Amino acid sequence: MPQLRIVSFGYGHSKPRPSCALMIDARHLHDPYLDPALRDLDARDPRVQRAVMRTPGAQALLAAIVTAGYALLAQAAEGETVTIAVGCGGGKHRAPVLAARAAAQMDHLDELRVQAVHRDLDEELLPAGAGDAAA
């Protein structure tokens, strides 16, 4: 059975982008960083999760990630690990919320192995706008 890894990351970090079959850019969604009450929190906090998922376009982007995940898994070879990368500016708010939600939605079947990995969630908070320019 193939496996799916959904990796969240921040474009603003000086690390290479994750190697993946599909890269999703979430920088167009409203950034919780801009809200002083949410800035120092991360995607593990329910308030950040609510803020991200209430952003116009977030539900559609989540659905697209899940749909793409199923499509990529259908084409994957036995034992292959397929990776979808989801990026935002710093990797602490938008991308990890979407990656975790997509993995949770897909992890309902016993035979399907889905894992969310948050590369930059525990990194230092980046300055405002870092990584948010389209690359």
Side-chain angles (χ1 to χ4, degrees):
M1 162 109 345
Q3 298 179 46
L4 178 65
R5 284 179 33 140
I6 306 174
V7 179
S8 71
F9 73 99
Y11 285 97
H13 295 282
S14 58
K15 301 176 187 176
R17 293 182 185 167
S19 176
C20 60
L22 177 66
M23 188 165 301
I24 305 289
D25 190 339
R27 292 178 290 182
H28 66 284
L29 298 176
H30 177 74
D31 191 352
Y33 179 96
L34 301 174
D35 181 342
L38 301 176
R39 179 172 298 144
D40 293 323
L41 303 175
D42 63 38
R44 293 173 281 224
D45 191 288
R47 293 168 289 183
V48 171
Q49 295 168 18
R50 282 190 300 274
V52 170
M53 296 314 299
R54 288 179 179 158
T55 300
Q59 295 288 341
L61 189 55
L62 174 60
I65 294 166
V66 170
T67 299
Y70 284 127
L72 289 168
L73 282 171
Q75 300 173 35
E78 183 67 29
E80 181 180 1
T81 298
V82 178
T83 302
I84 295 175
V86 183
C88 63
K92 296 184 80 64
H93 299 106
R94 297 165 287 183
V97 166
L98 290 167
R101 292 281 175 109
Q105 281 189 21
M106 297 180 73
D107 199 28
H108 64 283
L109 302 174
D110 290 337
E111 68 272 8
L112 186 59
R113 297 175 73 190
V114 181
Q115 176 187 30
V117 176
H118 307 297
R119 187 188 81 178
D120 299 324
L121 188 60
D122 292 318
E123 293 289 332
E124 292 292 322
L125 192 63
L126 295 175
D132 268 344

